[in-house]
Structures are given as C-alpha cells and as structure tokens.
Amino acid sequence: MPDQLPEIELEDRGSKGRYVLRGPDGAEAEMTFTKIGEHQIIIDHTEVPDVFRGQGAGLRLVTRAVEDARAAGKKIIPLCPFANAQFRRHQEWADVLKR
C-alpha cells in the first residue's frame, strides 16, 4: 500500500503561480498557471515525474485548480494539453471553463 499522498501546495507569485506535490525524495509534480486579470487563470503546464506516475498526481493538481477557481469565481483557460484533456473528460468542470 503506498504512503499517504502529499498535500498539494499553492505557491502564488503575483501574476504567476503553481500547484505542487512534493515527493519524499524531493521530486516535484507541478502545474503552473498565469493570472489574467482578477477573474481568469491560464493553466500553462503540468509536469509529473516518474516517481508520481500511476498515482493520479496530474489529475489531482488540475482538480485542485478547478476547486480553487470555483470558490473564487474564476474561469480557467487550459492551454496545457494535459489539463485540456482533463477538462474534456470532466463535464462537471464546465462552470469554470472559459469558453
């Protein structure tokens, strides 16, 4: 049984930021974003190292961004191909998808 998955951390750097999962060996799975004004974010990039593969780390990162956007009344533009594919799979996220 794998260890408990680490918590997702949000690093906010003004106009940019990232959600990150840190592994026990220092590996990081991350999803970066750029803020567009007060009400939109662009998901730029998702990177999941091999140590996290098969654990749903990428999906967890995108899901957290969706939850945070929903809570803040923001829309997401998923430019990252992985995030875009997840939005196509998860119709329940349509409320936060920028059309």
Side-chain angles (χ1 to χ4, degrees):
M1 189 77 183
D3 293 338
Q4 181 78 22
L5 285 174
E7 283 300 303
I8 295 170
E9 297 174 38
L10 170 60
E11 295 179 358
D12 192 327
R13 300 190 179 113
S15 64
K16 293 187 173 288
R18 71 179 187 147
Y19 290 94
V20 62
L21 278 164
R22 288 188 173 86
D25 60 354
E28 292 182 344
E30 70 169 3
M31 185 195 71
T32 61
F33 64 88
T34 302
K35 297 176 193 171
I36 305 298
E38 294 293 309
H39 304 290
Q40 296 179 78
I41 68 165
I42 293 172
I43 295 177
D44 311 299
H45 178 69
T46 305
E47 187 165 334
V48 178
D50 289 343
V51 68
F52 287 103
R53 297 250 188 253
Q55 299 177 41
L59 176 58
R60 285 186 63 212
L61 291 166
V62 179
T63 300
R64 169 68 188 274
V66 168
E67 291 167 352
D68 287 358
R70 188 176 281 141
K74 294 182 179 181
K75 297 286 187 185
I76 294 175
I77 302 165
L79 291 186
C80 162
F82 175 81
N84 196 12
Q86 295 303 319
F87 268 90
R88 287 197 302 275
R89 287 191 190 110
H90 293 271
Q91 295 303 309
E92 70 274 17
W93 296 349
D95 61 309
V96 298
L97 179 63
K98 176 70 176 169
R99 302 233 174 249

